[in-house]
Amino acid sequence: MSQEQKKEVKPKKVQKKNKKKKQNKAPRLHVDGIFMGYRRGLTTQKTGTSLIKIVGVATRKETEWYLGKKVAYVYNASRHHNGSNVRTIWGKITSSHGNSGIVRAKFKRNLPAIAMGKKVRVMMYPSNI
Amino acid sequence: MSTKITKGTVLILLIGKFKGKRVVFLKQLSSGLLLVTGPYQVNGVPLTRIKRKYVIATKTKVDIDALEVPTTINDKFFTPKKPINNWEKTEEKFFTKKQELKKVGLNESQQKIQKEVDTSIVEAIKKVQYLKEYLTARFVLQKGQLPHKMKF
């Protein structure tokens, strides 16, 4: 009986919090990826091409769907511009890299080195489904 | 154009104000853009046009083969009216705000056409179970969902 009472009390609070969070969040229409680093040999790196690890993609065959898709590196700056301090660097996935699902991407402006290990958004467009 | 997208196909919008919304495809315009509608009563998406590459075609179809989309809905329908000659010098310009000039959405006469088109689509939607709820719901990628493994 006491256990039932405990269950009754807790869920109400948790539900309210979840509802508020869901209302505020924008729908996610992108897959998260991580900027692993630049294309490189052992001693030299080519900063023009970035390597991206897409979450949930582990084989070369699975990367086929993502080729050509747009990628965005989203970051905050201290200065507000046009009402927002959120900035993006756009790019697109050019090809797969290796056999384990890593992907190469070229950005309009090369990604800054500080972005290594940080999240990148892989969009679902241009779509041909 | 792809054989998957035919009149009545439900599309998922990937870009713009209505991203994530599921809409009904009507026809391809002469410019190549796709004409879609929510319908407006169902999910708040008016008659809009989008590019094929910013859309995911699902296998769900609304049965609107009988519907004839009026030819008045073409690319000109969506382009704003041309301003008066010497707009910059007229008194009207002095009084209209920038926001009014950039009005997004359909004006009153266009909204009438919207209603005409939507009524038959809404009827067709009501005939299928859960289709209205499907079109009201937004497409979202949840944790663990990967688009390359999904079947649309």
Side-chain angles (χ1 to χ4, degrees), chain B residues 69-83:
Chain B
V69 182
T71 48
T72 49
I73 309 177
N74 49 24
D75 289 306
K76 282 186 183 177
F77 183 87
F78 293 100
T79 48
K81 279 186 181 172
K82 273 188 183 174

Side-chain angles (χ1 to χ4, degrees), chain A residues 27-31 55-57 62 65-66 70 124-129, chain B residues 14 19-20 52-57 139-142 146-149 152:
Chain A
R28 178 169 72 92
L29 287 168
H30 59 266
V31 185
V55 172
V57 177
E62 286 177 350
W65 190 91
Y66 294 93
K70 291 251 172 176
M124 293 171 74
Y125 54 84
S127 102
N128 57 4
I129 310 171
Chain B
L14 296 172
K19 61 176 162 236
R52 164 66 184 97
K53 62 178 177 178
Y54 297 127
V55 134
I56 291 179
F139 174 80
V140 179
L141 281 177
Q142 291 180 343
L146 302 162
H148 71 273
K149 287 185 178 172
F152 288 99

Side-chain angles (χ1 to χ4, degrees), chain B residues 62-97:
Chain B
V62 181
D63 186 17
I64 50 166
D65 286 333
L67 171 72
E68 277 183 39
V69 182
T71 48
T72 49
I73 309 177
N74 49 24
D75 289 306
K76 282 186 183 177
F77 183 87
F78 293 100
T79 48
K81 279 186 181 172
K82 273 188 183 174
I84 315 160
N85 284 334
N86 294 320
W87 171 254
E88 299 287 315
K89 294 179 185 174
T90 55
E91 279 188 28
E92 254 189 86
K93 200 238 170 181
F94 185 77
F95 287 108
T96 39
K97 297 180 185 175

